[in-house]
Amino acid sequence: MRDYLKERGQRIAAYAKGLTKWLILAVCVGILCGLAGTAFHVLVEHATELRTEHPWLLFLLPIAGLVIVALYKAAHIEGVGTNDVIDCVQDGKPLSIWLLPVMFVSTVLTHLAGGSAGREGAALQMGGDIGWQMGRLLRLNNHDCRTATLCGMSAFFSALFGTPLTAAFFALTVIHVGVVFYSAFFPCFVSAMVAYGISLALGVAPTRFSVAVPELSASMMVRVGLFSILCSLVVILFCAILHQGNHCMAKLFPNRWARVLAGSAAVILFTFLYGEMRYNGAGMSVITAAIEQGTALPWDWILKALLTAVTLGAGFKGGEVVPCFFVGATFGCVAAPLFGIPSGFGAALGLAGLFCGASNCLPATLFLSVELFGSEGLLYFAIVCGVTYVLSGYSGLYSSQTILTSKLESEYLEGQKEQVKRG
């Protein structure tokens, strides 16, 4: 009996120690990411407002590009991106402490000068860097530092978008598709909630959309299913455009300085010929109009994809998820009425479908649909997520992401690790 009580006491003590460790880490990471994320959000918003008020800032894009290349070169982190953060979690690859400030400044410059990019790629990189450095500061072992990196990714994402559940599950599922280490959920969710609370307290409004959901019916579910097939094709095309854009820019302009100048010239020329800056920056106003007003141009989605590919391929910084939202929302707004689906609701479905298929994060997308649009249309969103996840195959935004289980069969892929192939 004494041995039993001793064993139980040791087990309880081990659990208490582990819980305390993760709680301290999660709160510290959440506070830092909440503050940094709020500052980042405010500066990106101000940069967008300045560019809107002063369109001539677009002509500073080449200078911004050269500054970005110089910063990355000076910090010795050339070519470092979201895939390196994923590698950090997968293999324990260390992250440079300079990634946070360099990525912060570079993304703000990209938005200020009119590059077509998002901001969550920066969030994942900066948050992951904060988490990794905090883990090292607390002298955690390599595996625990990887979990700390996930906490940072969750917290920064949550601070920017105001979606803590999505942020936690996105970090948990974006690394290895098919296998989730639920032991990391508690620290990831706590850090996401802390960062979310700080961003709210500092005046950052969470991203939310008002959308009318059709009454649940078998007919509408079938139409949503058919529409989802088209979304799957757009996922494949969108990922191919991004990866091929990066590949082609690197092949045509091996020199990073020349590459960023060529990309700047292409973005400026396109914007000048088009006559307005509809596709520069993140494009949240266009996304909102597609969802809440049901208005979008038929070519919005393809032009945004192309301009984003040029911007990121040239070496500017930001992210791919908000452009993915843009492509999904505008495509859905235009294509959904062909199936008898209201355009605004179709835009919401398209946003969720493109995000799910491109990120391969099905649970996170379901939480995203609830946090962005409410729970009323959850069954419809489940259909579009299920179809796009399966039919998009092994396409994806991140080349370092690994898919461990088949999307069609109840089995592990050969070798239990199939890395997503990119063109």
Side-chain angles (χ1 to χ4, degrees):
M1 184 66 178
R2 181 179 299 176
D3 291 340
Y4 172 77
L5 292 176
K6 182 179 179 181
E7 180 184 350
R8 295 294 295 179
Q10 291 174 342
R11 186 173 299 179
I12 292 173
Y15 270 89
K17 181 180 179 181
L19 186 65
T20 302
K21 173 183 69 176
W22 291 126
L23 189 60
I24 292 173
L25 173 76
V27 171
C28 291
V29 170
I31 291 173
L32 290 176
C33 288
L35 294 173
T38 299
F40 179 70
H41 172 85
V42 171
L43 286 178
V44 169
E45 289 296 311
H46 282 321
T48 301
E49 292 173 3
L50 277 174
R51 189 192 69 246
T52 302
E53 295 172 2
H54 307 285
W56 58 266
L57 287 171
L58 178 66
F59 295 101
L60 297 181
L61 192 60
I63 298 176
L66 293 175
V67 171
I68 291 170
V69 174
L71 287 173
Y72 272 78
K73 188 175 182 63
H76 303 291
I77 53 173
E78 293 174 286
V80 174
T82 305
N83 285 313
D84 294 274
V85 178
I86 294 176
D87 288 338
C88 171
V89 179
Q90 289 179 341
D91 307 316
K93 176 182 176 182
L95 295 173
S96 169
I97 195 171
W98 292 106
L99 180 60
L100 171 63
V102 170
M103 188 64 181
F104 192 111
V105 173
S106 298
T107 304
V108 172
L109 287 176
T110 297
H111 283 265
L112 177 64
S116 178
R119 50 191 180 174
E120 80 305 319
L124 296 178
Q125 293 176 48
M126 290 188 289
D129 194 32
I130 289 174
W132 173 265
Q133 302 302 335
M134 180 58 66
R136 300 292 292 175
L137 182 64
L138 296 176
R139 298 184 179 181
L140 302 182
N141 62 40
N142 186 271
H143 283 280
D144 286 348
C145 282
R146 301 185 199 184
T147 301
T149 304
L150 293 178
C151 290
M153 295 166 67
S154 303
F156 218 109
F157 193 107
S158 178
L160 282 186
F161 290 100
T163 55
L165 267 176
T166 301
F169 273 92
F170 181 69
L172 289 175
T173 57
V174 74
I175 309 298
H176 299 293
V177 178
V179 174
V180 178
F181 291 103
Y182 287 107
S183 59
F185 173 75
F186 173 74
C188 284
F189 182 62
V190 170
S191 63
M193 286 299 296
V194 171
Y196 175 52
I198 289 175
S199 66
L200 282 181
L202 295 177
V204 176
T207 304
R208 299 290 185 269
F209 298 101
S210 177
V211 60
V213 178
E215 184 178 349
L216 188 64
S217 68
S219 173
M220 183 58 70
M221 294 178 80
V222 170
R223 281 179 272 171
V224 169
L226 294 174
F227 166 70
S228 302
I229 297 174
L230 282 185
C231 288
S232 303
L233 299 177
V234 176
V235 169
I236 296 171
L237 179 61
F238 176 64
C239 293
I241 288 173
L242 289 186
H243 294 304
Q244 288 300 320
N246 187 64
H247 175 75
C248 290
M249 290 293 290
K251 186 175 181 179
L252 291 172
F253 306 98
N255 184 283
R256 295 182 185 276
W257 305 95
R259 190 186 312 164
V260 79
L261 290 176
S264 301
V267 172
I268 293 173
L269 179 61
F270 170 85
T271 307
F272 179 76
L273 293 176
Y274 190 78
E276 62 174 303
M277 302 179 73
R278 183 175 178 85
Y279 308 110
N280 303 79
M284 287 300 295
S285 60
V286 178
I287 296 172
T288 302
I291 296 171
E292 298 189 345
Q293 302 170 24
T295 58
L297 300 175
W299 51 83
D300 274 344
W301 64 278
I302 188 65
L303 291 183
K304 180 64 173 179
L306 292 170
L307 200 63
T308 299
V310 172
T311 298
L312 298 180
F316 290 95
K317 303 303 174 181
E320 306 89 353
V321 172
V322 174
C324 182
F325 288 175
F326 188 114
V327 171
T330 54
F331 174 79
C333 184
V334 173
L338 301 176
F339 297 89
I341 303 172
S343 57
F345 184 58
L349 290 172
L351 184 154
L354 263 290
F355 178 70
C356 183
S359 68
N360 292 305
C361 297
L362 198 155
T365 310
L366 291 176
F367 286 117
L368 179 74
S369 66
V370 173
E371 291 184 311
L372 290 187
F373 310 115
S375 60
E376 187 178 354
L378 181 58
L379 293 181
Y380 290 129
F381 287 107
I383 293 172
V384 75
C385 289
V387 173
T388 54
Y389 175 77
V390 172
L391 295 187
S392 62
Y394 300 102
S395 300
L397 293 174
Y398 310 113
S399 59
S400 290
Q401 183 183 60
T402 56
I403 298 181
L404 300 174
T405 58
S406 171
K407 289 189 175 184
L408 293 173
E409 306 292 341
S410 300
E411 61 185 17
Y412 285 96
L413 294 174
E414 184 177 355
Q416 297 187 359
K417 182 176 181 180
E418 179 71 12
Q419 186 150 342
V420 180
K421 305 300 181 184
R422 309 293 184 226

